[in-house]
Amino acid sequence: MKSYLKACLFLSLSTLTLATRPWGMTALNVRGGGSGIQEKEVKDEKVKGPCTLILIRHGESEWNVSNKFTGWYDCPLSEKGISEVKQAGLLLNEAGIKPDIAHTSYLQRAIKTLQLVQEETGTMWIPTSKAWQLNERHYGGLTGMDKVETVEKHGAEQVLIWRRSYDIPPPPVLADSPFHPKNDPRYAHLEFPEEFTETLATTLDRVLPYFLNNIVPDLKRGKTVIVAAHGNSLRALVKHLDGVDEDTIVNLNIPTGIPLVYHLDENMNVIPSDNGIAPLRGEYLGNQEEVRARIEGVQNQTKK
């Protein structure tokens, strides 16, 4: 009986309450005693002015150096790529832009890019989500092939169509290939066709719902969001943001390791930057001549 009374007294003094987190989890808060630290009440925040979206393609990867079709193959950054993304973090610092929330893909070159940018900007602690939907476009049967050799075999026109067309897929990868995602444990929760390949159109089909359902709510709460992803997943995203048509998107290239900053109004419409490089209305940070040179470098990857 005495132990029972002591327990009741303890509960009365402590005032145990259940607190519901905004993301649906419940945690036990003990008030009275302890360190005195309590979580602030989360209010329903709504953006009152322009919000900021930072897009960054991963730094140069080892397969960029080898000039291979990479897609979902999980290669690391090159030494140059590491240097590129560290510089990207410094550019964000110079611009006074610090992300509050981060999103990236399942691939290490994008994850490492984000981590290095966060390290430079002092934001390694911010909430970060990883999503397969932000992966690079899968290049199907072209994965691992040298781009110049592929041109020599199939012709420059055909390879350009495979690389940059909106809805014409390259040959598929077969289920017995190590490059088929069904053979990668990180995608065990997904189902794939036995013959798999992607176009920019099908990449958009997975990128856009993720953006609308997971990134836009962060922006509408007034958060500065950074998305570290890939050339084609970002091409898909800017197609939506800037209303780029299917003919123009063929010739649009995203350079590695340079922050592309968008400001959006409360309706999630892009506020055009005076420094945007058409057809994009966001602004690449840094030296604009260098930006243009790196864009041209992406375009010339299939040339000898």
Side-chain angles (χ1 to χ4, degrees):
M1 178 62 73
K2 288 182 178 180
S3 61
Y4 172 78
L5 292 173
K6 287 181 179 179
C8 289
L9 181 61
F10 173 78
L11 289 173
S12 176
L13 293 172
S14 298
T15 315
L16 288 169
T17 60
L18 280 174
T20 302
R21 300 268 202 278
W23 51 88
M25 296 176 64
T26 55
L28 198 62
N29 286 344
V30 181
R31 295 182 180 177
S35 66
I37 299 173
Q38 296 183 18
E39 291 188 10
K40 292 181 178 179
E41 181 181 353
V42 178
K43 297 180 180 179
D44 184 20
E45 301 172 274
K46 292 184 179 179
V47 62
K48 296 179 181 178
C51 54
T52 302
L53 173 65
I54 308 157
L55 306 180
I56 183 168
R57 182 184 175 188
H58 62 80
E60 181 190 73
S61 73
E62 290 190 355
W63 272 26
N64 289 144
V65 177
S66 301
N67 208 23
K68 294 180 179 180
F69 288 100
T70 309
W72 288 24
Y73 177 73
D74 198 21
C75 62
L77 294 177
S78 67
E79 288 300 317
K80 179 182 175 182
I82 291 172
S83 177
E84 285 177 347
V85 296
K86 287 183 176 181
Q87 179 63 28
L90 295 176
L91 288 172
L92 288 171
N93 283 338
E94 290 175 6
I97 301 172
K98 283 196 179 292
D100 301 308
I101 294 177
H103 297 262
T104 190
S105 74
Y106 272 15
L107 301 172
Q108 64 171 305
R109 58 192 187 272
I111 295 169
K112 187 67 173 179
T113 291
L114 177 60
Q115 290 173 342
L116 290 169
V117 169
Q118 289 176 318
E119 185 175 346
E120 293 295 332
T121 56
T123 58
M124 295 189 74
W125 58 274
I126 66 174
T128 299
S129 297
K130 298 183 181 73
W132 68 269
Q133 292 94 327
L134 296 176
N135 277 13
E136 175 60 287
R137 165 197 176 186
H138 200 293
Y139 276 104
L142 297 182
T143 305
M145 295 182 65
D146 180 278
K147 292 177 182 177
V148 173
E149 291 177 0
T150 306
V151 167
E152 292 173 350
K153 181 178 180 179
H154 296 283
E157 183 177 352
Q158 179 62 71
V159 174
L160 179 63
I161 291 171
W162 285 337
R163 286 187 72 213
R164 288 292 179 259
S165 69
Y166 183 64
D167 56 5
I168 301 176
V173 65
L174 304 182
D176 60 355
S177 168
F179 298 134
H180 195 294
K182 71 175 290 185
N183 300 315
D184 190 322
R186 80 193 79 188
Y187 308 114
H189 62 295
L190 301 173
E191 293 185 1
F192 297 91
E194 292 295 294
E195 297 184 356
F196 183 62
T197 188
E198 286 190 305
T199 63
L200 184 59
T202 57
T203 303
L204 179 64
D205 287 343
R206 56 176 164 84
V207 170
L208 185 55
Y210 183 84
F211 174 73
L212 296 175
N213 295 327
N214 297 277
I215 298 175
V216 166
D218 292 337
L219 292 167
K220 285 187 173 181
R221 291 192 297 122
K223 302 300 182 182
T224 295
V225 180
I226 184 169
V227 179
H230 306 265
N232 284 293
S233 52
L234 293 179
R235 286 174 74 217
L237 187 49
V238 300
K239 183 183 188 304
H240 165 74
L241 290 171
D242 292 295
V244 182
D245 63 56
E246 295 177 12
D247 293 329
T248 304
I249 200 69
V250 174
N251 296 311
L252 179 70
N253 294 287
I254 306 287
T256 58
I258 302 178
L260 175 57
V261 178
Y262 283 86
H263 298 292
L264 301 100
D265 65 20
E266 59 186 11
N267 296 314
M268 296 296 105
N269 296 316
V270 174
I271 301 170
S273 168
D274 293 337
N275 298 318
I277 298 177
L280 304 184
R281 295 174 294 168
E283 176 185 357
Y284 283 110
L285 300 184
N287 182 291
Q288 296 303 295
E289 289 185 7
E290 181 182 345
V291 171
R292 292 177 186 275
R294 282 161 71 170
I295 291 172
E296 187 176 351
V298 177
Q299 188 173 354
N300 292 334
Q301 286 177 348
T302 55
K303 297 180 180 179
K304 289 185 178 180

